[in-house]
Amino acid sequence: MSEKEIKNLEEIFDQKIARDEKIEPKDWMPEKYRQTHIRQMSQHAHSEIVGMLPEGNWISRAPSLRRKVALLAKVQDEAGHGLYLYSATETLGVSREELYEQLHSGKAKYSSIFNYPTVTWADIGAIGWLVDGAAIINQVPLCNTSFGPYARAMVRVCKEESFHQRQGYEIMLTLSKGTKAQKEMAQDALNRWWWPSLMMFGPTDDKSTHTAQSMKWKLKRKTNDELRQQFIDQTVPQAEILGLSIPDKDLKWNEERKSYDFGEINWDEFWQVVKGHGPCNRERLQTRVNAWENGAWVRDAAMAYAEKNAERKIKKAV
Amino acid sequence: MKDNLIQYILGIADNSLILGQRLGELTGHGPAPEIDIAITNISLDLFGQVRSYFQYAAQLSDKDITEDDIAFLRTEREYVNVLLVEQPNTDFGYVITRQFLFDQFHYLLLSALQQSTDATMAAIAKKSIKEVSYHKRFSADWMKRLGDGTKESNQRVQQAVNDLWGYTNELFMLTDADKQAIAEGIGVDVTLFKKEYYENVAAILEEATLEVPTQAFFQKGGKEGVHTEHMGYLLADMQYMQRTYPGMKW
Ligand SMILES: [Fe+2]
Ligand SMILES: [Fe+2]
Ligand SMILES: [Fe+2]
């Protein structure tokens, strides 16, 4: 292709996005667009799959049958989200095997929030309320993102995430109406999950590298700081209803901005976890690798059986 | 009579409870996300059934108890599930074999239970059998894939079949509660389909190119509340919250 032709294609592509039309897998797209989408979408898929682990940690100990069923269903939803997102990523010409390999080798990232441990039952409430809550704020704009398969996957995912968020909040509500021990458990969970949840929106805008490009491609509609503020403003009143206090002494309503001011995030901790040194990075990755490696003989068997079956069918037909 | 019905319900529901618990341990650790979803689904179905049974048992009970009291607050000796379902998730071969050996039984049990003279039991059976016919297909399909897959998978699943075979006979032993429930027309006489069970199992094992074990030594005890050593740890996990925080609502 000549340079002029490429320029032409790029123009058509940019106009399409500007008109809010979807880019589909068979459409021409700049290589950078493809790579950025593979990176972001697979990272999102990995987050769903790794995200099953901290909550899965409480399935066997859930305190009632009703809670156990709800938690099983939730963790199962996350596996489903992982699958839609992997499938959507595969449309960009990368194989599932490659994506898993990138996760298992540590080359691909996943959301850092899942590198924190779930140490009490209240953590299951806090994760639903705060982590799914933050995920929704990050992801609702993606329902209108430019890449068709991603946008469509996000519509399904967001519906379920908001259900998870309500379910998590309801766990917190039950605890907050419970005994002293239960209230303390809820407060302790909020104390531990609040700051990591704020970190889910990424570095501050002045430190964020991808924002401009992502805005153009509608991978982002608001900046990290705007989304973080939206989360805080939405969540503080919810904490008040629970009678829990946000662990931030600098948090206060700013009448002028009609928003909450809040304290400094510990960015050293943020970078430590991102770079692989959070409390559970090693365990989470190792667990995924183990599941994959221990399952190799099962996947091989399924493949071998399918091949034998196909052969049997051909023989029959002949 | 009511006490006997409660005991009869436990004899059925505890199997679903303990197997559901075992399967729940696997969520997030399966050989592939698709399999993870399927296994979790079976666990969900089983817990759904457990809730129906235990809600009914709680309603029958003279004591002021809930489904959760029944599920979480008994001693090990009071759980009456068969030994098969409490066996650990040694590897995927054991998971599938345990499921297969149970599903084949469970399906026949529910087919007959639909005719129970107790309307609630019949209704639960009717609802559950749809789910269990899916479980049965899933586990039989995997037996075939593993048995007739690779040499390694064949050896692994054969090992699981050999090891778990000794727990199958207990499925067909009648407790006192069973006998009384059968006499009342509420319960199912499982001995009537024992032959059919072993024929069905053998047919699938053969299709899966697996050998049907010929050993004649069987374990029992679960139905009388005498469990394998695995059970205590399973309960320690399952009962953890209820035991640590007695009497609280969650
Ligand atoms: Fe998500
Ligand atoms: Fe999700
Ligand atoms: Fe979620």
Side-chain angles (χ1 to χ4, degrees):
Chain A
M1 232 181 290
S2 75
E3 238 170 77
K4 199 177 154 215
E5 280 170 317
I6 291 179
K7 215 159 177 250
N8 226 337
L9 286 168
E10 259 170 359
E11 246 164 56
I12 297 171
F13 174 86
D14 287 341
Q15 283 164 3
K16 243 180 158 175
I17 291 184
R19 282 197 306 267
D20 244 337
E21 276 171 43
K22 295 284 176 252
I23 305 300
E24 295 300 332
K26 57 181 190 325
D27 295 344
W28 182 88
M29 62 185 80
E31 194 46 30
K32 185 147 185 257
Y33 181 89
R34 182 187 303 275
Q35 292 309 329
T36 303
H37 277 77
I38 290 176
R39 185 172 48 78
Q40 175 164 337
M41 290 165 68
S42 64
Q43 197 167 310
H44 193 164
H46 298 326
S47 301
E48 302 286 351
I49 297 296
V50 176
M52 295 169 72
L53 300 174
E55 289 187 280
N57 184 37
W58 278 88
I59 289 172
S60 68
R61 291 175 293 169
S64 71
L65 290 173
R66 183 172 82 92
R67 293 295 184 200
K68 196 190 283 281
V69 167
L71 182 57
L72 274 163
K74 186 193 172 189
V75 179
Q76 186 188 38
D77 284 348
E78 306 302 2
H81 298 170
L83 287 183
Y84 318 148
L85 285 161
Y86 281 128
S87 305
T89 314
E90 285 173 279
T91 66
L92 289 165
V94 56
S95 75
R96 184 82 62 95
E97 304 294 309
E98 274 174 84
L99 296 174
Y100 285 144
E101 165 55 29
Q102 288 170 3
L103 172 67
H104 297 153
S105 67
K107 189 179 161 228
K109 295 265 176 275
Y110 56 86
S111 179
S112 273
I113 193 77
F114 302 119
N115 290 318
Y116 290 86
T118 50
V119 295
T120 73
W121 170 251
D123 291 19
I124 300 306
I127 287 180
W129 173 35
L130 302 173
V131 175
D132 286 90
I136 293 165
I137 288 181
N138 268 330
Q139 291 168 18
V140 162
L142 290 172
C143 297
N144 297 310
T145 193
S146 60
F147 186 52
Y150 195 23
R152 289 188 289 273
M154 291 321 296
V155 171
R156 287 176 75 173
V157 168
C158 281
K159 257 189 224 148
E160 292 178 354
E161 302 295 14
S162 58
F163 183 72
H164 298 165
Q165 202 258 353
R166 284 200 298 278
Q167 194 172 281
Y169 189 72
E170 203 258 319
I171 291 176
M172 296 302 276
L173 198 59
T174 306
L175 294 174
S176 72
K177 287 184 190 152
T179 63
K180 184 163 169 280
Q182 286 173 305
K183 279 180 217 156
E184 283 170 3
M185 194 190 282
Q187 181 63 56
D188 169 61
L190 174 56
N191 293 349
R192 284 180 290 104
W193 290 94
W194 175 253
W195 291 104
S197 299
L198 297 190
M199 294 177 197
M200 284 176 72
F201 298 95
T204 50
D205 294 347
D206 54 320
K207 300 260 170 24
S208 178
T209 40
H210 306 296
T211 301
Q213 179 76 87
S214 300
M215 291 277 185
K216 192 174 137 204
W217 288 339
K218 298 177 180 167
L219 271 171
K220 265 211 148 119
R221 302 240 146 155
K222 291 181 184 170
T223 69
N224 293 353
D225 286 332
E226 286 167 341
L227 293 168
R228 187 165 15 243
Q229 185 71 58
Q230 185 185 334
F231 175 75
I232 293 170
D233 291 345
Q234 164 189 310
T235 309
V236 171
Q238 295 171 348
E240 279 164 11
I241 294 171
L242 296 174
L244 299 177
S245 44
I246 303 279
D248 178 357
K249 60 175 172 32
D250 297 321
L251 186 87
K252 68 167 184 292
W253 179 251
N254 181 324
E255 186 53 37
E256 220 167 285
R257 292 200 304 120
K258 298 276 179 224
S259 261
Y260 284 93
D261 292 335
F262 56 97
E264 179 73 19
I265 290 171
N266 182 348
W267 294 110
D268 290 341
E269 177 183 322
F270 173 83
W271 289 113
Q272 181 179 330
V273 183
V274 169
K275 286 178 179 151
H277 310 289
C280 298
N281 294 60
R282 202 157 31 82
E283 284 91 334
R284 297 291 186 242
L285 202 56
Q286 196 57 55
T287 304
R288 283 315 315 158
V289 170
N290 287 348
W292 189 248
E293 286 176 355
N294 293 338
W297 69 272
V298 176
R299 297 188 304 274
D300 289 347
M303 193 104 80
Y305 179 78
E307 277 164 19
K308 282 186 204 175
N309 244 356
E311 264 169 48
R312 278 191 281 252
K313 262 186 207 139
I314 292 169
K315 266 192 201 144
K316 242 192 199 165
V318 173
Chain B
M1 187 199 144
K2 249 173 49 181
D3 282 349
N4 191 74
L5 177 51
I6 292 172
Q7 199 56 33
Y8 180 70
I9 293 171
L10 296 183
I12 293 175
D14 279 354
N15 289 334
S16 297
L17 174 71
I18 301 303
L19 186 53
Q21 176 74 9
R22 274 290 184 235
L23 296 175
E25 293 170 10
L26 291 165
T27 302
H29 306 275
E34 291 84 349
I35 302 173
D36 228 298
I37 289 176
I39 295 274
T40 306
N41 225 15
I42 297 176
S43 176
L44 273 167
D45 287 343
L46 292 171
F47 279 117
Q49 294 164 16
V50 167
R51 296 192 66 193
S52 304
Y53 288 124
F54 285 180
Q55 282 165 11
Y56 183 39
Q59 184 194 319
L60 289 168
S61 172
D62 299 325
K63 288 175 246 155
D64 184 22
I65 54 168
T66 67
E67 55 174 9
D68 290 326
D69 296 322
I70 303 175
F72 297 103
L73 292 176
R74 282 178 285 156
T75 64
E76 179 172 335
R77 295 281 280 106
E78 292 167 323
Y79 287 86
V80 290
N81 57 281
V82 292
L83 301 179
L84 174 67
V85 295
E86 71 199 46
Q87 297 310 304
N89 300 322
T90 308
D91 73 8
F92 191 71
Y94 283 79
V95 169
I96 286 299
T97 303
R98 183 183 63 202
Q99 195 64 38
F100 165 66
L101 293 173
F102 181 71
D103 290 342
Q104 293 291 326
F105 167 81
H106 200 190
Y107 184 81
L108 293 171
L109 171 77
L110 293 176
S111 304
L113 191 62
Q114 294 180 97
Q115 271 81 56
S116 171
T117 56
D118 184 288
T120 308
M121 293 301 278
I124 298 173
K126 209 159 275 168
K127 186 183 155 280
S128 306
I129 198 161
K130 288 189 202 122
E131 298 165 347
V132 172
S133 58
Y134 161 79
H135 305 170
K136 182 172 141 239
R137 188 155 19 106
F138 175 83
S139 59
D141 284 350
W142 270 105
M143 288 305 287
K144 291 175 209 165
R145 284 191 196 105
L146 297 181
D148 194 16
T150 64
K151 197 164 166 243
E152 181 187 4
S153 69
N154 176 279
Q155 281 167 357
R156 280 176 178 261
V157 76
Q158 183 70 60
Q159 187 65 51
V161 170
N162 297 347
D163 285 354
L164 294 174
W165 192 256
Y167 297 110
T168 53
N169 189 57
E170 190 189 9
L171 293 164
F172 300 98
M173 297 174 73
L174 296 178
T175 62
D176 292 340
D178 291 336
K179 287 174 196 157
Q180 200 181 319
I182 293 165
E184 287 161 0
I186 294 171
V188 170
D189 185 351
V190 293
T191 61
L192 296 180
F193 55 75
K194 181 172 180 177
K195 191 165 159 275
E196 189 183 353
Y197 170 86
Y198 280 108
E199 282 166 4
N200 293 349
V201 165
I204 291 164
L205 289 180
E206 270 158 40
E207 203 188 328
T209 70
L210 291 164
E211 275 165 36
V212 181
T214 49
Q215 65 148 22
F217 298 104
F218 293 102
Q219 304 300 322
K220 61 171 197 253
K223 288 187 174 184
E224 305 297 335
V226 181
H227 293 279
T228 57
E229 289 180 352
H230 304 295
M231 185 69 170
Y233 296 95
L234 180 148
L235 292 181
D237 243 8
M238 192 173 82
Q239 298 183 338
Y240 167 71
M241 289 296 289
Q242 294 275 341
R243 296 291 185 201
T244 311
Y245 304 96
M248 298 185 199
K249 295 265 172 295
W250 302 96

